[in-house]
Amino acid sequence: MIVADIQKSSLKEQRLQFIRNHQQAFDVEPIYPLRLFEDFVMGVESDCTIEASCKIELDKLIASRFLLFFKDKAQEWQKYLAQSLAFFQQVENRVGVQLDYSLLQGFLGDNFDFSKLEVLTAGIDLRTNLADSSLKMHIRIGDYPEKLATAFVLSDGVADSNYLSGFVHLIGFDFYFNGKSAIEIYAEIREDDFFKPETINQVWQHFPKSALKPLQSSSLFFTGLSKANHNPVLYYNLKNPQDLINCFKLNYTAQKVHSFYQHQDILPNMWVGTAQQELEKTRIENIRLYYYKSFTME
């Protein structure tokens, strides 16, 4: 029992170190509520994975972005959701922070079947201007068509007639500190399906060749569907982070981020997100880079 407690304590310290290393590497200021997020991460008793990401806009680097993935345990999802919302409510205790949960409440309803839940995340995307900061949550559901239909309605039907509507399993929620909220629906295509005739006919014909090139190095492809986003972001799960340089023409700031993560003890895959028109440029100036570390008891 004592050994297990020591292991658990050590794992929690490693989580904090991973977050702090990212902050140190990119001069992240301890803006509100970064410390509350660290406390939340340290308070999670189960195994988890943490995502650290950077959003690059020209030479501007936004690095105070972290997401915690709860480990898949069907009987625990309700507890994890409650923990996440308790953290959100702590953030709300500050004057000037007001969160709107109506989209999440509308999606979950009164009788959500947690056995259909496959992924749950909670995280932060912080900016110096408090009003621009947000908390994030992602919910991935399995065979749950009625909840997909609910998500489509909540998104003002953005995915209803979309050619990607049959590929949706992941729903994202953004809770901005100024009281605004947004829902984003993510369509996903797995590597096994990349080059099937029906995928080519149904999906890839809508994309230019520049968007298809990174698929050769990817195991998953996502794209976000939302009312607010007129230029959907394309996400690629690269099997090997080394492929980033071959697949994407990065600017100096993005290269600097990636250079740091080449020397970190992280999972062997990464996500890259960028708008379609960026892929057609001679150099990508706006991109998101995501890196992961898993924290599990042996």
Side-chain angles (χ1 to χ4, degrees):
M1 188 70 181
I2 295 170
V3 173
D5 287 344
I6 292 169
Q7 276 185 324
K8 196 175 278 189
S9 175
S10 169
L11 265 181
K12 288 183 178 184
E13 287 299 328
Q14 287 171 38
R15 294 177 198 169
L16 188 60
Q17 197 58 53
F18 176 67
I19 293 169
R20 292 273 170 92
N21 288 349
H22 180 89
Q23 292 174 45
Q24 200 174 346
F26 306 117
D27 298 323
V28 173
E29 293 175 24
I31 50 179
Y32 187 83
L34 187 52
R35 294 291 175 258
L36 282 181
F37 178 73
E38 290 179 347
D39 292 344
F40 162 64
V41 166
M42 293 288 276
V44 171
E45 296 294 335
S46 60
D47 295 346
C48 65
T49 296
I50 296 174
E51 168 193 286
S53 70
C54 287
K55 188 176 187 180
I56 293 112
E57 298 173 342
L58 301 175
D59 58 352
K60 183 181 169 191
L61 178 61
I62 302 164
S64 197
R65 294 159 50 95
F66 299 97
L67 206 58
L68 181 136
F69 288 72
F70 289 96
K71 219 60 177 178
D72 182 2
K73 286 184 182 170
Q75 69 276 22
E76 301 281 2
W77 289 127
Q78 270 176 287
K79 184 180 93 175
Y80 297 157
L81 178 65
Q83 262 183 298
S84 303
L85 292 174
F87 159 57
F88 287 10
Q89 278 148 16
Q90 268 190 305
V91 175
E92 272 191 291
N93 287 336
R94 171 159 170 168
V95 173
V97 176
Q98 182 184 1
L99 303 179
D100 173 16
Y101 299 103
S102 57
L103 288 168
L104 177 65
Q105 288 163 343
F107 175 70
L108 293 172
D110 299 324
N111 56 350
F112 189 85
D113 183 352
F114 282 89
S115 70
K116 307 277 191 183
L117 207 156
E118 296 178 350
V119 171
L120 179 68
T121 77
I124 53 175
D125 183 355
L126 306 183
R127 310 297 162 94
T128 318
N129 180 14
L130 193 70
D132 296 333
S133 292
S134 64
L135 300 179
K136 291 181 172 289
M137 180 175 283
H138 296 86
I139 294 174
R140 190 183 192 282
I141 49 179
D143 181 21
Y144 207 171
E146 57 269 44
K147 283 300 173 190
L148 276 185
T150 300
F152 290 174
V153 169
L154 291 170
S155 69
D156 289 338
V158 73
D160 258 345
S161 56
N162 194 290
Y163 62 93
L164 289 165
S165 60
F167 298 90
V168 172
H169 294 284
L170 184 70
I171 318 297
F173 299 89
D174 291 307
F175 308 95
Y176 292 93
F177 289 8
N178 62 1
K180 292 181 180 175
S181 62
I183 183 170
E184 188 154 12
I185 291 173
Y186 296 90
E188 69 179 76
I189 297 164
R190 297 183 172 274
E191 185 180 11
D192 293 349
D193 299 323
F194 281 172
F195 305 111
K196 286 183 176 174
E198 57 267 36
T199 312
I200 293 165
N201 294 334
Q202 203 175 335
V203 180
W204 303 137
Q205 63 159 330
H206 296 273
F207 291 91
K209 282 184 181 171
S210 58
L212 305 183
K213 191 183 169 205
L215 293 175
Q216 295 161 3
S217 305
S218 305
S219 59
L220 265 174
F221 169 85
F222 272 61
T223 185
L225 309 171
S226 85
K227 206 78 168 178
N229 202 343
H230 301 299
N231 301 309
V233 176
L234 310 183
Y235 297 92
Y236 302 87
N237 187 213
L238 296 183
K239 291 181 269 191
N240 184 345
Q242 303 290 344
D243 289 329
L244 179 70
I245 307 298
N246 307 326
C247 297
F248 301 91
K249 309 178 197 91
L250 303 180
N251 69 7
Y252 172 73
T253 308
Q255 286 180 29
K256 196 174 80 170
V257 170
H258 194 57
S259 174
F260 168 75
Y261 273 106
Q262 293 307 290
H263 308 290
Q264 301 305 303
D265 176 24
I266 54 172
L267 291 177
N269 61 328
M270 68 172 291
W271 279 94
V272 185
T274 191
Q276 183 178 298
Q277 67 267 35
E278 289 287 328
L279 294 166
E280 292 161 24
K281 295 179 180 177
T282 51
R283 189 171 62 176
I284 296 171
E285 300 288 3
N286 299 280
I287 196 167
R288 300 159 169 86
L289 303 175
Y290 304 83
Y291 302 88
Y292 302 85
K293 189 168 174 65
S294 190
F295 301 90
T296 55
M297 292 279 283
E298 296 301 327

